[in-house]
Amino acid sequence: MNGGDEVVAAPAGPPQPLDWKFSQVFGERAAGEEVQEVDIISAIEFDKSGDYLATGDRGGRVVLFERTDTKDHGDSRRDLERMDYSISRHPEFRYKTEFQSHEPEFDYLKSLEIEEKINKIRWCQTANSAVFLLSTNDKTIKFWKVQEKKVKKVSDYNLDPSKAVGNGSIASSSNSISPKSYLANGGCSDISNSYLSSDLSIPPGGIPSLRLPVVTSQETSLVARCRRVYAHAHDYHINSISNNSDGETFISADDLRINLWNLEISNQSFNIVDVKPANMEDLTEVITSAEFHPTHCNTLAYSSSKGSIRLIDLRQSALCDSHAKLFEEQEAPGSRSFFTEIIASISDIKFGKDGRHILSRDYMTLKLWDINMDSGPVATFQVHEYLRPKLCDLYENDSIFDKFECCLSGDGLRVATGSYSNLFRVFGCAPGSSEATTLEASKNPMRRQVQTPSRPSRSLSSSITRVVRRGAESPGVDANGNSFDFTTKLLHLAWHPTENSIACAAANSLYMYYA
């Protein structure tokens, strides 16, 4: 109140937790059905409009899906939302096409097998009703163009079926040329007048034995064509690729180097980050992921196996670490153990749409960073804290090295990542939010939902930004009280760029949810 006349509105609280519902599943397997290794999904990516979704699998195939529920209205969903148009149906996608992106190869110089598995997919700018995307395996990046074309085929010959024999020749003797004696100069001494008269005129009805193809235009089909192949630039396995906002360049990263490419030039790249020491015995960390800033074409971030993130400006010397802005969390005194560095390794980073925040995923947590504050993450979310007592078992079966991806909502209010038992978790990252939802990749996503009390905020130190930690669960069991299944893991997921819709991969199945 101000003098009894004015009412000051209370500040808006955090958004309410979302109610997630099952939308679609592609490639659902029956109970007990064995999953083929080549069919397991290894990459998921929405395009910027959200109208297309691409998946890659371990067999080197890329599958494209197209949104269908907005096409029925004639206008784009965004335009309809501006007009407060009520769309009651949930987002729907349909299978569009698929193509073989990569084949298995063998490096004879290094005696090394190169898997066809698709590591990453990134959409490029569309043009003339064609869609473009980049896909990569461990060594080679490819630039694909997918476009609808009317395919013309030779469908028939002008033969009388009653006179045709197996090899396509004419059975009737009247249609064959009688035996002839050839002259020395190549002429013919006996040509039937039924074919050629003295004035070389064609008889009425044409020459029966002349076969003319009939070309017909078949229905429209999608054609995928590889436009560029970017190869022989990485000595180590490629772990990430990222498009630049300029629409002309992209980066590719392996364990020790990040290269800058021009989409139109496949035989040349520029090394912009190199962490390889002169002596490999001095190697202490590797690059785990790299991402371009969504709007600043000269800025990119990359993460390391030590849990740090570096923000670099390409206008400065990117090869020199002194020009990089370092983001890392201070280690709590007395907390170090054998597993500390292993679980601190960041497996994925994503920029928020606003370009100010970076989301990172390490083995145990999600962390949200503000690029203007390098003192530590602004929020930390516990993904599966109940696994901490089991780190020895996870190390023995190599599960501790699993690389989980993360994603942010288009409005920046929520983040998501996967876990074991085909579970994934959605956290609210708005100030004051306690949203921490556990869902299962199945037709009943809320089957394992439990209430997860949030832990109170705590300060790491007087000089470090306040950190929010949420999402801790009861130890030793999953969210449904069952023993945890390390063989089923949800590594890959993607958030729709404009709506609350998530696509996630459980083995060979693609599940989609909306709220």
Side-chain angles (χ1 to χ4, degrees):
M1 298 287 282
N2 186 10
D5 298 323
E6 224 175 287
V7 177
V8 179
Q16 292 297 313
L18 296 176
D19 180 21
W20 291 96
K21 298 180 180 64
F22 169 78
S23 175
Q24 288 174 282
V25 58
F26 296 93
E28 185 182 24
R29 63 184 185 277
E33 181 184 350
E34 186 177 350
V35 179
Q36 299 296 319
E37 180 79 10
V38 295
D39 294 331
I40 295 177
I41 297 173
S42 56
I44 300 179
E45 186 78 6
F46 280 104
D47 78 325
K48 285 187 177 180
S49 68
D51 292 335
Y52 294 97
L53 174 68
T55 65
D57 62 26
R58 295 188 182 180
R61 292 164 299 196
V62 172
V63 183
L64 303 186
F65 300 89
E66 181 182 31
R67 187 165 183 172
T68 58
D69 60 302
T70 56
K71 293 182 178 293
D72 299 336
H73 300 292
D75 296 315
S76 72
R77 189 179 184 92
R78 196 175 301 166
D79 294 336
L80 296 174
E81 286 172 348
R82 288 196 188 104
M83 297 185 295
D84 293 330
Y85 190 99
S86 175
I87 301 177
S88 59
R89 286 185 296 176
H90 58 76
E92 293 179 357
F93 285 79
R94 68 173 176 87
Y95 168 87
K96 187 174 179 69
T97 188
E98 68 179 85
F99 56 90
Q100 189 70 33
S101 175
H102 288 72
E103 299 281 357
E105 300 176 40
F106 189 81
D107 187 336
Y108 291 96
L109 291 176
K110 298 181 179 179
S111 296
L112 182 69
E113 289 185 4
I114 303 173
E115 289 183 323
E116 65 270 35
K117 179 175 79 81
I118 304 297
N119 291 340
K120 295 289 180 182
I121 295 173
R122 290 292 181 267
W123 289 91
C124 303
Q125 294 180 355
T126 60
N128 299 327
S129 73
V131 294
F132 298 85
L133 51 87
L134 291 165
S135 61
T136 184
N137 65 352
D138 286 339
K139 294 291 184 181
T140 306
I141 307 161
K142 295 186 178 181
F143 182 44
W144 291 91
K145 177 183 180 181
V146 183
Q147 189 175 29
E148 290 185 349
K149 285 190 175 181
K150 289 185 177 179
V151 181
K152 294 184 177 180
K153 296 182 179 179
V154 178
S155 60
D156 197 7
Y157 293 96
N158 67 339
L159 296 178
D160 183 353
S162 64
K163 297 181 180 180
V165 293
N167 61 359
S169 60
I170 303 301
S172 174
S173 61
S174 64
N175 292 335
S176 61
I177 300 177
S178 59
K180 304 172 281 294
S181 59
Y182 293 91
L183 303 178
N185 63 359
C188 185
S189 63
D190 181 17
I191 299 179
S192 172
N193 288 333
S194 63
Y195 290 91
L196 297 174
S197 61
S198 58
D199 59 355
L200 299 177
S201 62
I202 298 177
I207 303 174
S209 64
L210 182 62
R211 293 181 293 180
L212 296 175
V214 178
V215 179
T216 58
S217 180
Q218 303 293 324
E219 61 182 24
T220 302
S221 65
L222 283 162
V223 178
R225 188 165 65 90
C226 184
R227 294 282 305 275
R228 303 274 191 282
V229 177
Y230 313 91
H232 313 301
H234 287 278
D235 293 330
Y236 304 91
H237 290 176
I238 298 172
N239 55 47
S240 54
I241 53 177
S242 178
N243 300 92
N244 198 345
S245 58
D246 63 10
E248 298 178 356
T249 57
F250 70 94
I251 55 171
S252 58
D254 64 23
D255 289 347
L256 299 180
R257 293 186 177 95
I258 300 177
N259 292 333
L260 177 69
W261 301 83
N262 188 297
L263 283 169
E264 300 299 321
I265 303 172
S266 60
N267 60 357
Q268 184 184 40
S269 64
F270 298 94
N271 180 218
I272 56 174
V273 174
D274 190 344
V275 299
K276 184 178 180 180
N279 184 356
M280 286 296 285
E281 292 182 358
D282 298 330
L283 182 66
T284 58
E285 62 181 327
V286 297
I287 299 169
T288 57
S289 184
E291 188 89 0
F292 257 123
H293 191 280
T295 56
H296 299 167
C297 62
N298 294 308
T299 304
L300 63 90
Y302 70 91
S303 59
S304 79
S305 57
K306 279 194 167 182
S308 62
I309 299 173
R310 286 176 173 85
L311 192 70
I312 63 174
D313 190 330
L314 297 182
R315 292 168 295 187
Q316 299 174 340
S317 176
L319 292 171
C320 180
D321 268 354
S322 62
H323 294 294
K325 189 173 183 179
L326 179 65
F327 299 87
E328 59 183 348
E329 186 173 19
Q330 299 297 323
E331 188 178 307
S335 64
R336 190 169 186 82
S337 70
F338 172 78
F339 303 109
T340 299
E341 284 196 11
I342 299 175
I343 64 175
S345 177
I346 295 175
S347 56
D348 189 28
I349 59 172
K350 292 286 193 311
F351 269 101
K353 201 171 183 180
D354 59 1
R356 177 170 174 173
H357 294 91
I358 299 175
L359 180 68
S360 67
R361 170 68 203 264
D362 57 41
Y363 188 69
M364 299 295 291
T365 65
L366 272 176
K367 292 175 182 173
L368 189 66
W369 307 77
D370 187 327
I371 64 173
N372 296 328
M373 303 168 62
D374 56 4
S375 56
V378 295
T380 298
F381 308 96
Q382 308 291 347
V383 179
H384 39 217
E385 186 63 21
Y386 43 80
L387 292 182
R388 196 170 290 276
K390 299 179 178 294
L391 290 179
C392 286
D393 297 334
L394 294 163
Y395 180 78
E396 289 294 328
N397 62 24
D398 286 342
S399 294
I400 201 170
F401 301 107
D402 287 334
K403 299 183 183 303
F404 292 93
E405 293 180 359
C406 58
C407 57
L408 298 93
S409 61
D411 56 16
L413 297 178
R414 294 173 180 85
V415 296
T417 191
S419 182
Y420 294 101
S421 297
N422 283 342
L423 300 179
F424 65 100
R425 309 208 64 199
V426 179
F427 300 96
C429 55
S433 174
S434 60
E435 181 177 358
T437 308
T438 302
L439 302 110
E440 182 185 31
S442 67
K443 288 187 175 179
N444 182 14
M446 306 301 285
R447 185 168 70 90
R448 301 194 178 201
Q449 174 65 15
V450 293
Q451 288 300 115
T452 55
S454 61
R455 294 172 60 179
S457 303
R458 69 179 183 88
S459 177
L460 291 178
S461 70
S462 59
S463 61
I464 295 179
T465 257
R466 179 172 291 272
V467 177
V468 182
R469 295 181 179 268
R470 289 197 296 274
E473 295 179 352
S474 56
V477 294
D478 65 14
N480 201 31
N482 302 320
S483 59
F484 223 68
D485 182 6
F486 299 123
T487 61
T488 57
K489 57 195 76 172
L490 200 150
L491 301 175
H492 311 286
L493 76 171
W495 201 302
H496 191 282
T498 59
E499 299 175 28
N500 288 321
S501 176
I502 292 178
C504 56
N508 67 322
S509 302
L510 176 66
Y511 287 91
M512 306 192 72
Y513 303 93
Y514 71 100

